[in-house]
Amino acid sequence: MEDIGGEDGIIDVHTHYVPRGWPDLRDEAGPDALWLDIVSESDAIIKMGTREFRHIKSTAWDAETRVRDMNADGVARQVVSPTPAFFGYDLAPDSAAKVARIFNDLALSIVEPCPDRLIPFCQVPLHDTDLACRELERCIANGHRGVEIGNHVGDHDLDSAGVVTFLQHCAALDVPVFVHPWDMQSTSRLNRWMGQWLVGMPSETHLSILALILGGGFDVIDPRLRIAFAHGGGSFAFWLGRVENAWQQRNDVVGTSAYPPSHYIGRFYVDSVVFDDRALRVLVDTVGADRVLVGSDYPYPLGERPVGDVVRRSAFLDERQRRQIASENALVFLGGSTPTSGLGRSA
């Protein structure tokens, strides 16, 4: 397979893990607590109480299996983040903090066999800022390299005071943040055709980017914050023009940010898991080739395999852009070397 990531290959910033079992969570989460029904050495079912949530395979917990798939796809390194169902934002803060500690410690045991290939990201009880900041500090001290958060906490978006404070703390600690949609609305219309995934996730991610822009989050958060959004940033790239027009034409309603929305291009990254070269082109044309990262959503069935395929096959990317997206941008996102350009554009 052609190497598109330079000498070190691709860096995949969007993958998930599930441990092969965890302590009983019913004291923390009640009768619908998540547990793992082990079917065989390589198959299991995540359950919420008696209800099936998702079938998974050993790719979710076995480092050797993950690395074998990475080698097949030309992936050098892989960010390993929580599965959002385990966030626990609906739990009491102390219970959510306990759940976070359990899964964060299990994540370290999953990546331990291959520390040069697997990069752990932690989770935090985002609905309690003090607890979230403490768990982040504990995890970074223990070896996590970043944090994955959900795109909202109940009715509170990413511009809420508590989340902004947490993101400021991430910036101060030089910790990258990966935002993943979760807890999509359930309606009779969205429950058809996996509508929560095909419509809900893109719209939730779009909304969370707008919250940081129109809600003024980016106006107060340190520009050093390195934050990335899953699934190509949802529908944001396609609708930036509409948002910009609304900010200009209905500034009395939409003009809550210090600058027009396009000013904030360069303040965030998005991953590449859009599956179509035309969609990738809109993404690159909108946010810039220096702000797109390879993501796959491995090991789940709606992810991209081979990893980076849309970048590899792209007809419009030149080799410089291809290498940026494959690995160079991820090195900046993970390592903290912030480019001098793209910290917000002049109005």
Side-chain angles (χ1 to χ4, degrees), residues 2 12 22 36 39 45 111 118 157 189 192 199 239 324:
E2 179 190 4
D12 182 355
W22 50 86
L36 197 66
V39 178
I45 304 171
V111 305
L118 304 177
D157 282 310
R189 294 169 65 224
R192 300 195 299 166
V199 177
W239 289 115
Q324 281 182 293

Side-chain angles (χ1 to χ4, degrees), residues 51-134:
R51 180 170 63 90
E52 289 189 5
F53 172 68
R54 178 174 293 168
H55 287 253
I56 61 171
K57 292 186 176 296
S58 57
T59 48
W61 65 75
D62 184 70
E64 289 187 9
T65 303
R66 297 179 80 100
V67 169
R68 186 164 57 246
D69 286 347
M70 289 167 64
N71 291 341
D73 290 1
V75 176
R77 278 158 284 182
Q78 185 187 80
V79 172
V80 182
S81 293
T83 294
F86 297 94
F87 284 155
Y89 299 166
D90 56 338
L91 304 180
D94 286 343
S95 294
K98 181 177 179 180
V99 170
R101 286 194 297 272
I102 289 170
F103 283 97
N104 288 334
D105 291 347
L106 288 171
L108 292 177
S109 67
I110 289 173
V111 305
E112 184 178 15
C114 303
D116 59 331
R117 304 290 300 275
L118 304 177
I119 303 169
F121 271 33
C122 65
Q123 67 183 65
V124 296
L126 193 60
H127 49 316
D128 187 299
T129 305
D130 289 341
L131 290 176
C133 290
R134 287 205 292 270

Side-chain angles (χ1 to χ4, degrees), residues 60 62 96 102 219 239 243 309 341:
D62 184 70
I102 289 170
D219 291 328
W239 289 115
V243 177
D309 196 44
S341 62

Side-chain angles (χ1 to χ4, degrees), residues 22 24-35 46-51 53 85 90-91:
W22 50 86
D24 191 331
L25 300 178
R26 283 177 293 182
D27 287 345
E28 310 300 332
D32 291 330
L34 290 157
W35 61 285
I46 303 172
K47 290 188 174 180
M48 295 180 173
T50 59
R51 180 170 63 90
F53 172 68
D90 56 338
L91 304 180

